[in-house]
Amino acid sequence: MQLGTRWPVGGTAPDRLPSVVVSAVRAVEDELEALDVDASTWRWTLTWLEGKPVVELDDGTVIRYHPDEDTATVSQPDDDAD
Protein backbone atom coordinates (compact mmCIF):
# COMPACT_ATOMS: atom_id res chain seq x y z
CA MET A 1 0.00 0.00 0.00
CA GLN A 2 1.22 3.47 -0.86
CA LEU A 3 0.12 6.57 0.98
CA GLY A 4 -0.61 9.79 -0.80
CA THR A 5 0.43 13.28 0.15
CA ARG A 6 -0.32 16.95 -0.43
CA TRP A 7 1.97 19.80 -1.39
CA PRO A 8 1.48 23.46 -2.33
CA VAL A 9 1.45 24.82 -5.85
CA GLY A 10 5.05 25.78 -6.60
CA GLY A 11 6.35 23.38 -3.98
CA THR A 12 8.51 20.32 -4.46
CA ALA A 13 6.64 17.31 -5.83
CA PRO A 14 7.20 13.95 -4.10
CA ASP A 15 10.36 12.15 -5.24
CA ARG A 16 8.48 8.95 -6.06
CA LEU A 17 6.51 10.59 -8.90
CA PRO A 18 7.59 9.68 -12.44
CA SER A 19 9.40 12.54 -14.19
CA VAL A 20 6.65 12.91 -16.81
CA VAL A 21 4.10 13.51 -14.03
CA VAL A 22 6.36 16.12 -12.41
CA SER A 23 6.72 17.79 -15.83
CA ALA A 24 2.93 17.83 -16.21
CA VAL A 25 2.55 19.40 -12.75
CA ARG A 26 5.05 22.10 -13.68
CA ALA A 27 3.29 22.73 -17.00
CA VAL A 28 -0.02 23.26 -15.21
CA GLU A 29 1.63 25.59 -12.71
CA ASP A 30 3.29 27.54 -15.54
CA GLU A 31 -0.08 27.92 -17.26
CA LEU A 32 -1.69 29.19 -14.05
CA GLU A 33 1.10 31.73 -13.69
CA ALA A 34 0.77 32.83 -17.33
CA LEU A 35 -2.97 33.32 -16.81
CA ASP A 36 -2.25 35.32 -13.64
CA VAL A 37 -4.33 32.94 -11.51
CA ASP A 38 -3.83 33.35 -7.77
CA ALA A 39 -3.16 29.75 -6.77
CA SER A 40 -1.14 30.66 -3.69
CA THR A 41 -3.47 28.72 -1.39
CA TRP A 42 -4.01 25.75 -3.74
CA ARG A 43 -2.52 22.34 -3.11
CA TRP A 44 -1.85 19.21 -5.11
CA THR A 45 -3.14 15.88 -3.77
CA LEU A 46 -1.35 12.66 -4.70
CA THR A 47 -3.27 9.40 -4.42
CA TRP A 48 -2.47 5.97 -5.76
CA LEU A 49 -4.97 4.06 -7.89
CA GLU A 50 -4.00 0.49 -8.71
CA GLY A 51 -0.38 1.36 -8.00
CA LYS A 52 -0.37 4.36 -10.34
CA PRO A 53 -0.14 7.97 -9.20
CA VAL A 54 -3.09 10.31 -9.68
CA VAL A 55 -2.46 13.96 -8.90
CA GLU A 56 -5.33 16.41 -8.40
CA LEU A 57 -5.19 20.16 -7.96
CA ASP A 58 -7.70 21.99 -5.76
CA ASP A 59 -9.40 23.44 -8.88
CA GLY A 60 -10.19 19.92 -10.14
CA THR A 61 -7.31 19.52 -12.62
CA VAL A 62 -6.26 15.85 -12.67
CA ILE A 63 -2.99 14.32 -13.91
CA ARG A 64 -2.90 10.58 -14.57
CA TYR A 65 0.17 8.48 -15.28
CA HIS A 66 0.23 5.81 -18.01
CA PRO A 67 3.19 3.53 -17.25
CA ASP A 68 2.96 1.48 -20.46
CA GLU A 69 3.75 4.61 -22.50
CA ASP A 70 5.52 6.52 -19.71
CA THR A 71 3.17 9.45 -20.35
CA ALA A 72 0.90 11.67 -18.30
CA THR A 73 -2.43 13.20 -19.28
CA VAL A 74 -3.90 16.38 -17.86
CA SER A 75 -7.66 16.76 -17.55
CA GLN A 76 -9.01 20.21 -16.81
CA PRO A 77 -12.28 20.61 -14.87
CA ASP A 78 -13.98 21.96 -18.02
CA ASP A 79 -13.02 18.76 -19.93
CA ASP A 80 -15.69 16.83 -18.00
CA ALA A 81 -18.51 19.30 -18.76
CA ASP A 82 -19.39 17.72 -22.11
Side-chain angles (χ1 to χ4, degrees), residues 19-81:
S19 62
V20 294
V21 175
V22 174
S23 294
V25 166
R26 298 297 171 238
V28 170
E29 292 179 347
D30 289 347
E31 183 178 347
L32 291 171
E33 186 176 333
L35 294 172
D36 202 27
V37 173
D38 180 9
S40 60
T41 61
W42 294 4
R43 297 178 65 81
W44 292 100
T45 301
L46 167 63
T47 55
W48 295 89
L49 182 61
E50 297 179 356
K52 296 178 276 192
V54 177
V55 180
E56 184 170 359
L57 187 56
D58 285 346
D59 75 341
T61 300
V62 176
I63 300 171
R64 294 183 187 277
Y65 179 59
H66 309 283
D68 294 340
E69 300 89 23
D70 193 32
T71 61
T73 56
V74 178
S75 299
Q76 303 290 338
D78 294 336
D79 291 352
D80 298 329

